[in-house]
Amino acid sequence: AKVWKNGKELYDLTDGSKGAVAYSVFVVGGDVYSSGFEDNGTNWVAKVWKNDKELYELTDGSNDAIAKSVFVAEDKVYTAGYDGGVAKLWKNKSATDLTDGSKGASANSVFVAGSNVYTAGDDGFVVKVWKKGSEHLVLTNGSNNASAYSVFVVGEDVYTAGYESNGTYNVAKVWKNKKEIFHTDGTKDAYAYSVYVVGDDVYVAGKEGKVAKVWKNKEELYELADKGYAQSIVVHNGDVYVAGYETEGSNDVAKVWKNGKELYSLADKSQAFSIFITEN
């Protein structure tokens, strides 16, 4: 598990002796928080790191668990993920079960807006958004496989990105509150991995077929890679930054794109899942 800053490796979070992934990064002041997992030899243990040190383990290692998303607000660290088949929200080290464990479930994204904590994911392939740990929005009916990967909140509006199967292909989708506001045409597998809203503009990063893409207000804005994944998007001062990876030959190469052009190639045999912009 690694963190890069401006295209250069900032530090290793783990020593490489066990499998590990950092899925999310969030910067506050001079501190860099990351969340993910590290294998304990039997199962995946959900973890949070602060700078280059492990801050704490969120799970005891008795089940596979991943901390998919981290958000820091008012000195509190909020983390979303799963432990076994239960979608979880952690506030610091204290866990709230979002689902009852009767179906496989995962919380994949967390966003804090004022005193409200929003979490998005799936419960038995039903796309859901939770608010303060309670079910807030149910976006699909469970008749098709579906999940949410990203949630972004502006005022009272909740934007959720993910996918829903049409029975043949997975269709990338974005919902604003309960209304579907974007979808791909359903002729090939597609996923919306990240959503970012600036004013009236809704930016989405994901993939369609094998192509990593960015959409703006329902229209394709950029094709980033013929074979790749656009995993995370941030818009800063009018510039569109995306982190993900491109398959080159038999290897994945972690990359950052700016306004549709490759900005950094981070490392061979690697993948980037999250991007955060700070002016520090």
Side-chain angles (χ1 to χ4, degrees):
K2 295 195 179 223
V3 175
W4 294 268
K5 179 180 178 181
N6 296 335
K8 305 294 184 183
E9 185 179 307
L10 186 59
Y11 32 67
D12 293 340
L13 300 175
T14 56
D15 64 11
S17 63
K18 303 169 184 174
V21 177
Y23 282 106
S24 181
V25 63
F26 197 98
V27 182
V28 179
D31 291 320
V32 180
Y33 295 83
S34 307
S35 70
F37 77 89
E38 186 174 18
D39 198 318
N40 68 1
T42 304
N43 292 310
W44 298 342
V45 179
K47 294 190 175 187
V48 175
W49 297 267
K50 182 178 179 180
N51 302 321
D52 61 344
K53 305 295 184 185
E54 183 181 304
L55 185 60
Y56 40 69
E57 294 183 347
L58 295 171
T59 57
D60 62 11
S62 60
N63 300 299
D64 275 336
I66 296 178
K68 287 287 193 73
S69 177
V70 63
F71 197 111
V72 182
E74 297 184 349
D75 297 324
K76 297 178 179 66
V77 181
Y78 298 89
T79 315
Y82 67 83
D83 184 10
V86 179
K88 296 257 190 177
L89 171 66
W90 292 271
K91 179 180 177 181
N92 299 324
K93 294 173 72 174
S94 177
T96 297
D97 290 353
L98 302 175
T99 59
D100 61 13
S102 62
K103 297 166 282 191
S106 179
N108 297 321
S109 181
V110 60
F111 192 101
V112 181
S115 62
N116 294 316
V117 181
Y118 297 85
T119 315
D122 65 81
D123 182 13
F125 291 117
V126 177
V127 173
K128 293 186 177 183
V129 176
W130 296 267
K131 180 180 178 181
K132 292 184 175 180
S134 297
E135 190 175 289
H136 180 56
L137 300 172
V138 179
L139 299 177
T140 61
N141 62 17
S143 60
N144 293 303
N145 290 353
S147 188
Y149 298 114
S150 178
V151 62
F152 194 98
V153 181
V154 180
E156 296 299 314
D157 292 322
V158 180
Y159 296 83
T160 310
Y163 81 92
E164 184 179 15
S165 173
N166 64 9
T168 305
Y169 295 103
N170 294 326
V171 180
K173 294 192 174 186
V174 176
W175 296 264
K176 179 180 179 181
N177 303 316
K178 285 191 171 184
K179 182 182 179 182
E180 184 183 306
I181 61 170
F182 166 76
H183 63 264
T184 51
D185 67 11
T187 61
K188 58 188 74 171
D189 280 329
Y191 304 87
Y193 291 117
S194 183
V195 60
Y196 199 96
V197 181
V198 180
D200 294 328
D201 294 324
V202 180
Y203 295 84
V204 181
K207 68 173 297 189
E208 186 173 22
K210 295 181 178 180
V211 182
K213 293 188 176 185
V214 174
W215 295 269
K216 178 183 177 182
N217 300 334
K218 304 180 183 180
E219 301 297 329
E220 185 179 307
L221 185 62
Y222 306 122
E223 288 191 2
L224 302 177
D226 290 338
K227 295 181 180 179
Y229 288 74
Q231 295 277 10
S232 180
I233 188 167
V234 172
V235 181
H236 181 69
N237 291 338
D239 293 316
V240 181
Y241 297 86
V242 178
Y245 53 97
E246 183 173 6
T247 301
E248 297 181 355
S250 60
N251 294 323
D252 290 334
V253 180
K255 294 193 174 185
V256 174
W257 295 269
K258 179 181 179 181
N259 299 331
K261 305 295 183 183
E262 184 180 310
L263 182 63
Y264 304 124
S265 180
L266 300 175
D268 292 337
K269 299 180 181 178
S270 64
Q271 299 172 341
F273 296 102
S274 179
I275 188 168
F276 194 97
I277 306 293
T278 177
E279 294 184 346
N280 289 352

